Amino acid sequence: MKNKKSRALLERALMHIPGGVNSPVRAFKSVGGFPPFIARAQGAYIWDEDGNKYIDYVGSWGPMILGHNHPEVREAIAKALENGTSFGAPTRLEVEMADFLCDRLPHLEMVRMVNSGTEATMSAIRLARGATGRDKIVKVSCCYHGHGDSLLVEAGSGALTFGTPSSPGVPKSLAADTLVIPYNDAAALERILDANAGKIACFILEPLPGNVGTLLPRPGYLREVRALCSKHGVVLIFDEVMSGFRVAFGGMTELSAVTPDLVTYGKIIGGGLPVGAYGGKRELMKLVSPSGPVYQAGTLSGNPLAMAAGLAQLKVLDRDRNEIYPRLDAITERLGNGVKAAASLANVEITVNHQGSMFTAFFAKGPIEDDASARSCDTARFAAFFREMLENGVYLAPSQFETGFVSCAHKDDDIALTIEAANTAMKAAARLTR
Ligand SMILES: Cc1ncc(COP(=O)(O)O)c(C=O)c1O
């Protein structure tokens, strides 16, 4: 593949942008090589600066569920743009967004718009702390909730120890208030809540983790989590920044029929523009400033272009949900089966997890259902597979521990071409010797 222009741009980028990128995983560190610089996108495809075309399964890391540059989203942005880009004052579009979300999602009684998923989770945690008067929080080791200080924390040495910072710059004192447990382990949650009775403000998790690759909850896990949080007066936060409107219109909250106290959103609700949101029970949300004492604010929050883009995308999903979600599920399953068949032909061990249009091919025997099993993957073999897929025109997330996203714009032919590429790439992965 031609790559002269992307190479030159990376060299320039490295001069003035840390690592040459504005978000770390874009740098391709875990798969080797260097990232193509993307010039444009349409439907299921992206084109790089050198003119190479790729079938895209990153979808801007989740937002582009309708495909890139969807006409209804683009037109909504263009229409909003005629009136200006930001007012820092209340607007009709924000009211329409809040009405739309609270109307359609039974678990949302009130909602506050912010500018990213990180802001949404940070703010939800502050609210939980403010509401309960407790400082400690519990998170799941393999779940990512953005880069807020309280959340960049890993498990300490023992199951009941305090968390330790996972990045320099996160104060130890703050990390000590974050307790970390494994996914799919309700007994671990019970132990930690019993040992810290009256001290835990909230339990935050991705109900369907996507940031270690796609993991599925064991039957009953989310129900058990709900019961334990209720018993201990702990605010249950579902982080649906990735899974919201993705695995079903109502996300994992709808699929699991478990009602959290607060939910966070991002990605899809911005239609490709920067957005996040948190919401849930009225009694909690009423505590947010200015109706209550828990402070949270934002110069660009509820930005009219972002509201217009997000609403346009959500309205299409709502209108066509009976066709969209079953089709996404079916083609993602076909894709997964094709990749599995390619692996088995090449004698490579993989496990494919998928829920709706979220999928990961883990290079391990499986089952993959928590952090420990995900970490058993052969990341070098994944990297060989990834590079060959890219070379064959398929753009996957550049890490074993990420989720792939299928969009409404992916057609049967795209899936067939992807499986063909996977047949070649699995052979490359099989050839890898170390
Ligand atoms: C589940 C989840 N929560 C929060 C975030 C952070 O969102 P943002 O990158 O918009 O800050 C992400 C980002 O990938 C996410 O997947």
Side-chain angles (χ1 to χ4, degrees), residues 23 60-61 115-121 143-148 151 204-211 239-243 264-267 274-276 402 405:
S23 195
S60 189
W61 298 94
N115 301 293
S116 69
T118 297
E119 264 188 67
T121 57
C143 291
Y144 174 70
H145 306 290
H147 59 92
L151 294 160
I204 183 168
L205 80 164
E206 297 174 72
L208 181 90
N211 285 289
D239 179 356
E240 295 236 55
V241 166
M242 188 183 285
S243 53
T264 55
Y265 294 103
K267 299 191 191 273
V275 163
E402 297 288 355
F405 301 101

Side-chain angles (χ1 to χ4, degrees), residues 131-336:
T132 57
R134 303 169 178 177
D135 285 345
K136 291 191 188 303
I137 67 170
V138 181
K139 84 176 278 289
V140 166
S141 51
C142 62
C143 291
Y144 174 70
H145 306 290
H147 59 92
D149 280 346
S150 287
L151 294 160
L152 285 185
V153 172
E154 357 180 269
S157 48
L160 295 180
T161 60
F162 301 128
T164 59
S166 61
S167 163
V170 173
K172 284 197 193 70
S173 55
L174 195 62
D177 278 337
T178 301
L179 310 174
V180 185
I181 57 172
Y183 183 63
N184 262 334
D185 190 345
L189 179 64
E190 185 164 24
R191 282 196 298 276
I192 220 155
L193 294 183
D194 283 343
N196 293 276
K199 294 187 187 150
I200 310 276
C202 64
F203 176 43
I204 183 168
L205 80 164
E206 297 174 72
L208 181 90
N211 285 289
V212 64
T214 310
L215 300 184
L216 308 183
R218 287 195 189 120
Y221 172 64
L222 295 173
R223 260 200 320 279
E224 287 167 48
V225 157
R226 173 67 277 181
L228 286 167
C229 288
S230 299
K231 178 176 159 201
H232 286 267
V234 166
V235 176
L236 175 60
I237 306 174
F238 276 4
D239 179 356
E240 295 236 55
V241 166
M242 188 183 285
S243 53
F245 303 97
R246 168 58 71 179
V247 293
F249 186 81
M252 253 335 256
T253 304
E254 176 188 314
L255 287 187
S256 65
V258 170
T259 307
D261 301 301
L262 294 175
V263 190
T264 55
Y265 294 103
K267 299 191 191 273
I268 286 178
I269 60 162
L273 292 184
V275 163
Y278 64 106
K281 298 223 159 89
R282 185 179 300 276
E283 73 199 63
L284 285 171
M285 292 304 293
K286 269 170 67 177
L287 299 176
V288 176
S289 183
S291 67
V294 178
Y295 193 70
Q296 185 270 307
T299 299
L300 294 175
S301 293
N303 173 267
L305 299 189
M307 294 302 96
L311 261 174
Q313 173 147 274
L314 292 176
K315 282 180 181 170
V316 175
L317 292 174
D318 186 29
R319 184 187 68 206
D320 299 338
R321 61 166 98 180
N322 293 336
E323 290 92 62
I324 286 178
Y325 291 100
R327 178 174 176 274
L328 283 174
D329 197 28
I331 60 170
T332 309
E333 179 148 15
R334 185 157 2 114
L335 176 65

